[in-house]
Amino acid sequence: MRAPDPTGSGARRVSGQADESSSDPRPARRSPGPLLVAAASAVLSLLLLGVALRLGWLGADVGRGAEFCEAPHPGALRQPANTQSNLGFVLAGLAVGWYAGRPRGRLARRGLATTYAVVVVLLGPGSMAMHATRSELGGRLDQLSMYLVAGFAVAYAGIRATGRGVVTLVVLLGALVALCDTIGRAGSLPVVNNAGNAAFGVLLVVAVAVEARLRGSAGRPGDLVWIGGALGAMVVALVTWTLSRTGAPLCDPDAWVQGHAVWHLLTAVSAYCLYRYWASAQEPAERALPDT
């Protein structure tokens, strides 16, 4: 017969094991779910775009995107370099989905990393729709995809700053996209071409400002390498975007490599680096934000 343990060490060992196992709700193994969802989104959206191009659903060429230098070509892709370079967003979204399946790849709420992966993936077909057709509807889809990713950045920063959850993020994201779409219909503006691009830029500035405030008060600030990569890639992308527009010094309408295509690739890198910064900044307690 085993003698009783007057010290209670066995109970403490059991309790300690339970506490250690429950202190981190993240799974020990990689989950394939986020990558599978991102991959399915990529395949479906690209197939739908292909059908739309084949059947002419996006409408006639009205010159949308002509300010981005590349001369129109005959065939299915009016601006081949500017169209194909958007595959960078698809690859970036898949990379987010791959990392999101790791134990440390989650964001502040379960499912948000997967959602962001899908948003980044959709940037690709959305922008392709404009550059492939130069149609009015294609231009609208291009800008809507931009509003989605910038709006997500603001909404995600917002729920972390206020301690709110997914419902608040969805409502805020929907409101921001609707507001930007309304502003985008206001017409053209100097330098940025149209009011929608200006709204996109304002969202990015707001996101950076809120992230800076969060970093100053965070118990676990994110990795500077990733936020530095995101900001650095975006700054170089903006410079390239400005210098490669029609009539600008880097514009060569017939070149195989287009400055606007470089903009796509650099902003895809920035979108991935931003996610890695978010993931590096999460405390275990932050994964328990409320749903509202």
Side-chain angles (χ1 to χ4, degrees), residues 11 26 29 125 136 155 181 185 272:
R26 297 176 298 189
R29 295 182 298 175
E136 184 63 30
D181 186 55
R185 298 169 185 264
Y272 177 73

Side-chain angles (χ1 to χ4, degrees), residues 4-16:
D5 182 359
T7 64
S9 59
R12 284 198 298 270
R13 283 195 299 270
V14 172
S15 176

Side-chain angles (χ1 to χ4, degrees), residues 89-290:
F89 292 116
V90 177
L91 293 176
L94 293 175
V96 171
W98 178 83
Y99 193 84
R102 299 183 59 173
R104 295 190 178 276
R106 292 183 182 175
L107 298 184
R109 284 289 288 172
R110 188 183 300 274
L112 287 186
T114 304
T115 302
Y116 183 69
V118 172
V119 167
V120 175
V121 162
L122 294 180
L123 269 171
S127 184
M128 285 179 178
M130 180 181 76
H131 292 292
T133 64
R134 306 203 318 168
S135 65
E136 184 63 30
L137 179 56
R140 291 285 307 282
L141 292 174
D142 172 51
Q143 290 199 304
L144 282 173
S145 66
M146 292 165 55
Y147 303 152
L148 270 175
V149 72
F152 186 98
V154 173
Y156 183 62
I159 66 167
R160 284 156 50 231
T162 60
R164 307 295 290 180
V166 173
V167 173
T168 301
L169 182 142
V170 171
V171 171
L172 182 56
L173 176 58
L176 289 172
V177 171
L179 176 62
C180 288
D181 186 55
T182 301
I183 293 173
R185 298 169 185 264
S188 61
L189 290 175
V191 182
V192 296
N193 298 328
N194 61 64
N197 289 340
F200 170 75
V202 169
L203 286 184
L204 293 181
V205 171
V206 171
V208 169
V210 179
E211 287 292 343
R213 180 179 178 183
L214 285 170
R215 183 174 180 82
S217 60
R220 180 184 173 188
D223 193 332
L224 280 174
V225 170
W226 292 114
I227 194 60
L231 293 175
M234 181 56 69
V235 168
V236 176
L238 286 170
V239 172
T240 305
W241 184 87
T242 302
L243 295 179
S244 61
R245 294 189 305 156
T246 299
L250 297 184
C251 176
D252 181 353
D254 299 313
W256 286 14
V257 178
Q258 290 290 320
H260 195 70
V262 175
W263 148 268
H264 290 152
L265 296 175
L266 287 173
T267 49
V269 170
S270 181
Y272 177 73
C273 288
L274 180 60
Y275 159 72
R276 290 296 302 271
Y277 172 75
W278 286 337
S280 72
Q282 296 313 304
E283 296 281 6
E286 287 185 279
R287 291 190 295 273
L289 286 174

Side-chain angles (χ1 to χ4, degrees), residues 59-70:
D61 182 345
V62 296
R64 284 294 295 262
E67 66 272 19
F68 299 126
C69 183
E70 188 173 14

Side-chain angles (χ1 to χ4, degrees), residues 25-46:
R26 297 176 298 189
R29 295 182 298 175
R30 178 190 298 278
S31 169
L35 179 57
L36 290 176
V37 172
S41 301
V43 171
L44 291 175
S45 59
L46 289 172

Side-chain angles (χ1 to χ4, degrees), residues 8-24:
S9 59
R12 284 198 298 270
R13 283 195 299 270
V14 172
S15 176
Q17 290 170 358
D19 290 344
E20 181 178 351
S21 64
S22 63
S23 62
D24 190 347

